[in-house]
Amino acid sequence: SMSQLSQSRALVIVNTHFHSSDGNMAFGTRRGAKREAEKLSNVLSRLNYTVKLVSNKTAKEIEDLYWQEHYHEHGEYFVSIISSHGEEGIIFGCDTEPVQLSHLFQILSSEKCPVLRKIPKIFFIQACRGKELDQGVVLECDSGEPEPECEPECLLDIPTIPPQTVVMFACSPGYVAFLNPSGSMFLQALLKVLEGEERHLDLIRLLTRINGKVAFHCQARGSYEGCKQMPCFITNLHQEVFPFSA
């Protein structure tokens, strides 16, 4: 089929410098994020992806980048990595304007794009999803039952994703994601997996490995000493896939 002949595509968007429309610096500069995005792009190229790496795009430009994917030949998979500031359900353009993630997912699944609609689309989102710090979980509790973390209705918070889409977030809903000068906990873990033998795993097992790496080997330092981060993913795939096993 056509898709076997075309290379799979990857779109990597990294925002490091932010300016609001009145020209003021609005968010902190995201040091370490650019180099990390370059490394991920190189690895994806080695795994036979045609990679488009862009940085410091406005909300409108980010949206346009996804619409542009409709005009390309696509291989078996589409991978996208977004590294920026964010809040729950949103990532920010370099103009500090919000982009709804659900809207980006829909663009690729729209009726206008039958090719993309059929192939697995895999998103990795490095951005905060709120202001909460995760102090880790107390595993033992001498004083009876630990308090429930949150009410059950928080499960309704899961963003709706179209069929054949997988989204992995750097952190759980409501929480911050950490970035330091050498990069982010989450994308560093993704990089390690893609560089090693684990890349041959089925996608869901691979994502679970990334969860483990961040959960057990990463801890914030400095003023956030001891705070943890837990990535999470949601999937609407219909089959096992091996997107990085090239």
Side-chain angles (χ1 to χ4, degrees), residues 165-176:
T165 302
V166 178
V167 185
M168 190 174 203
F169 293 97
C171 54
S172 305
Y175 286 91
V176 299

Side-chain angles (χ1 to χ4, degrees), residues 58-119:
T58 65
K60 167 110 182 56
E61 287 169 334
I62 289 171
E63 217 165 282
D64 288 345
L65 282 162
Y66 286 94
W67 282 112
Q68 285 165 27
E69 286 302 319
H70 291 207
Y71 302 106
H72 294 288
E73 289 286 338
H74 280 272
E76 289 182 84
Y77 304 102
F78 175 77
V79 170
S80 194
I81 300 172
I82 304 176
S83 178
S84 188
H85 283 298
E87 278 172 17
E88 185 57 45
I90 286 168
I91 53 112
F92 289 105
C94 65
D95 54 352
T96 72
E97 291 297 314
V99 181
Q100 293 285 342
L101 287 169
S102 57
H103 182 55
L104 299 183
F105 307 150
Q106 290 302 334
I107 289 173
L108 299 182
S109 295
S110 81
E111 299 301 316
K112 297 190 186 73
C113 202
V115 182
L116 267 165
R117 206 169 74 233
K118 291 191 183 84
I119 68 172

Side-chain angles (χ1 to χ4, degrees), residues 124-126 168 170 184-190 210 214 229:
F124 296 95
I125 314 285
Q126 165 61 38
M168 190 174 203
S184 63
M185 294 180 182
F186 170 53
L187 293 183
Q188 292 297 316
L190 171 61
I210 293 171
V214 177
Q229 180 182 318

Side-chain angles (χ1 to χ4, degrees), residues 162-210:
Q164 293 293 69
T165 302
V166 178
V167 185
M168 190 174 203
F169 293 97
C171 54
S172 305
Y175 286 91
V176 299
F178 295 107
L179 177 77
N180 56 43
S182 59
S184 63
M185 294 180 182
F186 170 53
L187 293 183
Q188 292 297 316
L190 171 61
L191 191 61
K192 274 205 179 70
V193 165
L194 295 186
E195 285 173 337
E197 287 305 298
E198 289 165 308
R199 73 176 190 276
H200 297 300
L201 292 171
D202 155 67
L203 181 63
I204 300 307
R205 289 184 64 193
L206 182 146
L207 301 184
T208 306
R209 294 289 170 98
I210 293 171

Side-chain angles (χ1 to χ4, degrees), residues 30-78:
R30 301 180 60 251
R31 294 176 209 295
K34 181 84 196 282
R35 191 161 152 57
E36 172 177 82
E38 286 165 354
K39 284 185 182 168
L40 282 161
S41 298
N42 291 338
V43 171
L44 288 167
S45 295
R46 290 204 298 276
L47 298 178
N48 290 335
Y49 280 79
T50 301
V51 184
K52 179 166 190 158
L53 169 62
V54 297
S55 59
N56 294 321
K57 296 295 177 191
T58 65
K60 167 110 182 56
E61 287 169 334
I62 289 171
E63 217 165 282
D64 288 345
L65 282 162
Y66 286 94
W67 282 112
Q68 285 165 27
E69 286 302 319
H70 291 207
Y71 302 106
H72 294 288
E73 289 286 338
H74 280 272
E76 289 182 84
Y77 304 102
F78 175 77

Side-chain angles (χ1 to χ4, degrees), residues 5 8 32 56 86 100 118 123 126 128 131 133 135 152 157 162 165 172 177 211 233-234 237:
L5 303 173
S8 291
N56 294 321
Q100 293 285 342
K118 291 191 183 84
F123 284 83
Q126 165 61 38
C128 291
K131 306 277 187 287
L133 291 170
Q135 304 295 347
D157 236 15
T165 302
S172 305
N211 271 355
F233 58 86
I234 44 179
L237 279 183

